[in-house]
Amino acid sequence: MNRFFVDPTAIHENSVDIPDETASQIRKVLRLKEGTRVQFLDNHGWLYESVIHYTDPKNITAEIIKKRSAEGEPACAVSLYIGLTQREKFEWILQKCTEAGVSKIIPMITERSLLRKTTDITGKKERWEKILKEASEQCGRGSIPKLSDPLSFHEAVKAGSLADKALFCWEDEKQKTLREILEPLHSTTSNISLMVGPEGGFSTEEAALAQEAGWSTVTLGKRIYRMETAAIASVILTLYELER
Amino acid sequence: MNRFFVDPTAIHENSVDIPDETASQIRKVLRLKEGTRVQFLDNHGWLYESVIHYTDPKNITAEIIKKRSAEGEPACAVSLYIGLTQREKFEWILQKCTEAGVSKIIPMITERSLLRKTTDITGKKERWEKILKEASEQCGRGSIPKLSDPLSFHEAVKAGSLADKALFCWEDEKQKTLREILEPLHSTTSNISLMVGPEGGFSTEEAALAQEAGWSTVTLGKRIYRMETAAIASVILTLYELER
């Protein structure tokens, strides 16, 4: 089933105004035929089961059959604070963490980040938001994860500490597990911050600063994950615990 | 800390015969200095804390300081039966599932697999085994996951059904969760089979055949994962449950 996010203003009682870009995707890329069922999403949690019609070979309309809640939204909003890294790896993190159910991604610059300046990512935001949108459509999310502008480590520590629970994934934490922290929380928690470091990990000073600000250090298990694996594992496991 | 798998015959009471390829990696790629601590692994679960010495600029020996069990091995052997797919994606699955703790990977050809013939992968096995070895060294595994020759779907269904529990990850299964199946098992299960389909999913006939052979269909959650995400998520979540 093909899914497309559209602006809420494009949705009327019985029909959807298909934006040009989406129409061209339906017609030229996917080559969907008259009468094909598709789903439109308003990025506010609603899904519109629809059927497409061709008024002429170049003009498509969409008739709404049924409105319902989108099913793919997580029970808890997970914000992932993640070290900025090389483009390919970062884009992979965006795509996979969207599938895993992340609600917000906040790139940050830490002591050992490979990318050191926020200007390094100028011009990439549009491309990255497209990745988030397409991954959300593909996996059946009801809304597209938000992408924040990059923060410094200090800003990130402060911002993330405001969540119901803030978890600092750290390879030097050998005892405290995600399960231990999350199991008691599951029915009462509406938002969680996760922080995952860059390739070289966090420094001891960074871990101390985060702990002072209220973050709980946590281990993701006894195997040492690469940063991108840690990112997806932390989101998958957090929502696995909280969506019980 | 750098880790290297070596053949068990290379390990003596107080020293390790460093194979030429590893020696050249230590000398030329990593440029490790006299006295650097490294770890050797025998692929049978033992780890040897060692120190490297240069007898001359081109000759390296390794002195064993301590022998201990490798910590990164999972408590339960997970075999992943996975649809063959394009090279880049398949190699990603090999690397990430090794980090996640898989013990064996069995490529298979299903009705909707992108690759249709086992001859398509001739010559790739050596490259793939190298990926498994390097990922194991990086993440601290005590042994390298095994890579099987590709099987047909029918062969895979039969082979995998012999495990203590065989789980068929299926997007059309909406009820039965991994937790429901795995929670009662955790202390008594020594091996699990996981089956993950190709990009187009499994056919209804394939799901029926697997169920007849004793596989339990299972959902990985309400979001629809791409095949590579399903592969890593299934291994991460299975070991999360079984390594309680």
Side-chain angles (χ1 to χ4, degrees):
Chain A
M1 177 75 75
N2 290 106
R3 298 176 203 87
F4 309 97
F5 280 94
V6 291
D7 194 89
T9 59
I11 293 171
H12 307 288
E13 203 180 331
N14 300 308
S15 67
V16 179
D17 288 341
I18 307 176
D20 287 350
E21 202 187 336
T22 308
S24 137
Q25 197 191 347
I26 289 176
R27 226 160 35 85
K28 295 186 192 157
V29 183
L30 301 166
R31 298 184 185 192
L32 302 184
K33 292 194 169 45
E34 163 72 26
T36 305
R37 288 187 75 142
V38 299
Q39 298 175 336
F40 291 95
L41 295 140
D42 66 0
N43 203 15
H44 285 74
W46 291 105
L47 182 151
Y48 301 84
E49 302 272 7
S50 307
V51 171
I52 57 168
H53 297 295
Y54 285 81
T55 52
D56 67 63
K58 289 191 170 172
N59 245 317
I60 321 175
T61 60
E63 178 196 352
I64 294 175
I65 305 295
K66 197 178 161 189
K67 175 183 178 179
R68 61 174 175 85
S69 306
E71 283 157 10
E73 276 312 285
C76 168
V78 173
S79 297
L80 176 68
Y81 293 77
I82 177 91
L84 260 177
T85 185
Q86 43 140 306
R87 186 181 62 78
E88 201 181 25
K89 195 181 289 185
F90 192 76
E91 294 184 352
W92 183 90
I93 291 171
L94 294 177
Q95 185 191 68
K96 295 293 170 249
C97 290
T98 297
E99 292 176 60
V102 79
S103 291
K104 190 172 181 185
I105 295 182
I106 306 95
M108 59 176 185
I109 293 168
T110 70
E111 210 175 301
R112 298 179 192 154
S113 293
L114 290 187
L115 291 191
R116 307 296 313 158
K117 285 183 289 188
T118 57
T119 50
D120 289 350
I121 64 153
T122 308
K124 299 220 180 83
K125 207 171 175 195
E126 197 179 331
R127 178 184 163 90
W128 289 353
E129 282 175 338
K130 198 168 170 221
I131 291 172
L132 294 171
K133 175 171 172 279
E134 287 175 355
S136 300
E137 289 172 345
Q138 187 272 331
C139 77
R141 295 283 301 264
S143 60
I144 306 167
K146 290 186 178 58
L147 178 66
S148 144
D149 285 328
L151 301 183
S152 71
F153 176 76
H154 287 85
E155 291 165 333
V157 159
K158 196 174 161 194
S161 68
L162 302 173
D164 290 344
K165 196 77 202 174
L167 302 179
F168 186 85
C169 304
W170 195 31
E171 143 188 359
D172 285 0
E173 172 60 61
K174 304 290 184 195
Q175 300 296 326
K176 243 185 297 168
T177 63
L178 267 183
R179 177 176 282 118
E180 216 177 304
I181 296 175
L182 295 178
E183 234 172 18
L185 298 184
H186 47 82
S187 60
T188 54
T189 306
S190 65
N191 56 75
I192 294 260
S193 297
L194 293 174
M195 193 174 275
V196 171
E199 283 79 358
F202 289 113
S203 68
T204 315
E205 291 72 30
E206 286 173 331
L209 278 170
Q211 282 175 295
E212 272 167 42
W215 291 72
S216 307
T217 55
V218 68
T219 171
L220 295 175
K222 60 187 175 180
R223 285 169 292 280
I224 302 151
Y225 290 144
R226 283 167 202 263
M227 75 167 289
E228 68 274 22
T229 317
I232 186 173
S234 66
V235 177
I236 285 179
L237 292 173
T238 297
L239 287 173
Y240 182 76
E241 278 295 348
L242 295 171
E243 291 186 333
R244 272 174 181 277
Chain B
M1 177 76 74
N2 290 106
R3 296 176 204 88
F4 310 96
F5 280 95
V6 293
D7 193 88
T9 59
I11 294 170
H12 306 289
E13 204 180 329
N14 298 309
S15 67
V16 179
D17 288 341
I18 307 176
D20 288 350
E21 201 186 335
T22 308
S24 138
Q25 197 191 347
I26 290 176
R27 227 161 35 86
K28 295 185 194 161
V29 183
L30 301 167
R31 298 180 184 194
L32 302 183
K33 292 195 167 48
E34 164 72 26
T36 304
R37 287 189 75 145
V38 299
Q39 298 175 336
F40 291 94
L41 295 140
D42 65 1
N43 202 17
H44 286 71
W46 291 105
L47 181 151
Y48 302 84
E49 303 272 8
S50 308
V51 170
I52 57 169
H53 298 294
Y54 286 80
T55 52
D56 67 63
K58 289 192 169 174
N59 246 317
I60 322 175
T61 59
E63 179 196 351
I64 295 175
I65 304 296
K66 196 178 162 190
K67 176 184 178 179
R68 62 174 174 86
S69 305
E71 283 157 10
E73 276 314 285
C76 169
V78 172
S79 297
L80 175 69
Y81 294 78
I82 177 93
L84 261 177
T85 185
Q86 42 140 308
R87 186 182 64 78
E88 201 181 25
K89 195 182 288 184
F90 193 77
E91 294 184 351
W92 183 90
I93 291 171
L94 294 177
Q95 185 191 67
K96 295 291 169 249
C97 289
T98 297
E99 292 176 61
V102 79
S103 291
K104 191 174 181 185
I105 294 183
I106 306 96
M108 60 176 183
I109 294 169
T110 70
E111 211 175 300
R112 298 180 192 153
S113 293
L114 290 187
L115 290 191
R116 309 293 314 157
K117 285 182 290 188
T118 56
T119 50
D120 290 350
I121 65 152
T122 309
K124 299 219 182 85
K125 208 172 172 193
E126 197 180 330
R127 178 183 163 91
W128 289 353
E129 282 175 338
K130 199 170 170 217
I131 291 172
L132 294 171
K133 175 172 173 278
E134 288 175 356
S136 299
E137 288 172 346
Q138 187 273 330
C139 76
R141 296 283 301 263
S143 60
I144 305 167
K146 288 186 180 58
L147 177 66
S148 146
D149 286 328
L151 301 182
S152 70
F153 176 75
H154 287 85
E155 292 166 331
V157 159
K158 197 174 158 191
S161 67
L162 302 173
D164 289 345
K165 195 78 202 173
L167 302 179
F168 186 86
C169 305
W170 195 31
E171 141 187 1
D172 285 359
E173 172 61 60
K174 304 289 182 196
Q175 299 297 325
K176 244 185 295 166
T177 63
L178 268 183
R179 178 177 282 119
E180 215 177 305
I181 296 176
L182 295 177
E183 232 172 19
L185 297 183
H186 49 83
S187 62
T188 55
T189 305
S190 65
N191 56 76
I192 294 260
S193 298
L194 293 174
M195 193 174 275
V196 171
E199 283 78 356
F202 289 114
S203 68
T204 316
E205 292 71 29
E206 286 174 331
L209 277 168
Q211 282 175 297
E212 271 167 43
W215 291 72
S216 308
T217 54
V218 68
T219 173
L220 294 175
K222 59 188 176 179
R223 286 169 292 281
I224 301 151
Y225 290 144
R226 282 167 203 264
M227 74 168 288
E228 67 275 21
T229 317
I232 187 173
S234 66
V235 177
I236 286 179
L237 291 173
T238 297
L239 287 173
Y240 182 76
E241 277 294 348
L242 295 170
E243 291 186 335
R244 270 174 182 278

